[in-house]
Amino acid sequence: MAEFELDLKFTFENVKEIISKVEKNVTEIVLGEVRATAQEILTDILTRMYPPGYSSIYYFRTGEIADCVDVKNIVKLGDSVSFEVYLNSDRLNAYEIEGNMLNAHMDIHGNDFRKGLPFVLDQGSSGSPIYNHPGRHFMDTAEGIMDNKLSKILASGLRARGFKVTSA
């Protein structure tokens, strides 16, 4: 009777090479396709919620808020990669408007309000009926969509690079 042996050798170097390849690809996908998709999700929400044009008798909506979506704090640390999607209010223009309209991205006294605008649009404000604004909670909406979609983008990117990806 003949004996059969199956000799499998995994060396520490092979495992390190495999892990390194996975980490490199995950990092590229997260900082590429996943980051871009996260930005697109928030931009699309803001484009739909705040299109340019009149929104009240006091305010003409510029539509610029959708152009403010940006990424910061890109970090690759150990076995994690992260970034933050936020609204870069420096991309807004602040300017006065003639007549009885509110100024663009300025408070009722003519002071620059670009830094506070993303928070007010997301969380809302109250006070005078002129600048009362219900919160739209677009950041929560974006987070919900991202939670559902971004892992699928990562899996798709890995499949495109030849990895076999299964879901739990």
Side-chain angles (χ1 to χ4, degrees):
M1 177 179 237
E3 285 187 28
F4 293 95
E5 289 182 13
L6 183 57
D7 189 16
L8 298 175
K9 291 184 182 177
F10 288 96
T11 64
F12 189 66
E13 290 76 28
N14 293 56
V15 172
K16 284 173 71 173
E17 182 181 323
I18 292 167
I19 291 170
S20 177
K21 182 178 179 185
V22 171
E23 284 180 349
K24 178 182 181 288
N25 280 278
V26 167
T27 299
E28 288 174 1
I29 294 165
V30 167
L31 298 180
E33 295 102 277
V34 171
R35 179 201 49 77
T37 301
Q39 285 181 271
E40 285 173 20
I41 289 168
L42 185 53
T43 299
D44 289 347
I45 289 168
L46 292 170
T47 299
R48 284 192 311 276
M49 284 187 175
Y50 300 104
Y54 286 96
S55 62
S56 77
I57 60 171
Y58 301 107
Y59 186 72
F60 182 83
R61 201 178 277 153
T62 65
E64 291 178 12
I65 196 74
D67 299 330
C68 294
V69 178
D70 206 350
V71 173
K72 67 179 178 181
N73 297 331
I74 298 172
V75 177
K76 167 85 172 86
L77 185 62
D79 61 354
S80 70
V81 182
S82 64
F83 59 86
E84 293 176 29
V85 178
Y86 76 109
L87 297 181
N88 182 350
S89 58
D90 291 337
R91 293 184 178 177
L92 293 170
N93 295 300
Y95 48 92
E96 294 182 11
I97 297 177
E98 299 292 322
N100 294 327
M101 301 292 283
L102 291 171
N103 295 321
H105 315 127
M106 298 171 80
D107 68 16
I108 60 171
H109 306 291
N111 300 309
D112 188 332
F113 190 64
R114 291 177 294 171
K115 296 282 184 217
L117 187 61
F119 179 82
V120 168
L121 292 177
D122 187 56
Q123 298 298 308
S125 65
S126 60
S128 164
I130 295 173
Y131 58 87
N132 234 9
H133 182 77
R136 301 294 293 273
H137 305 286
F138 51 79
M139 294 304 275
D140 291 339
T141 301
E143 184 177 9
I145 295 169
M146 288 177 198
D147 282 348
N148 184 41
K149 192 170 187 176
L150 296 184
S151 59
K152 293 174 184 172
I153 297 297
L154 177 59
S156 176
L158 287 169
R159 280 188 202 100
R161 287 172 166 81
F163 289 89
K164 181 179 179 183
V165 180
T166 59
S167 60

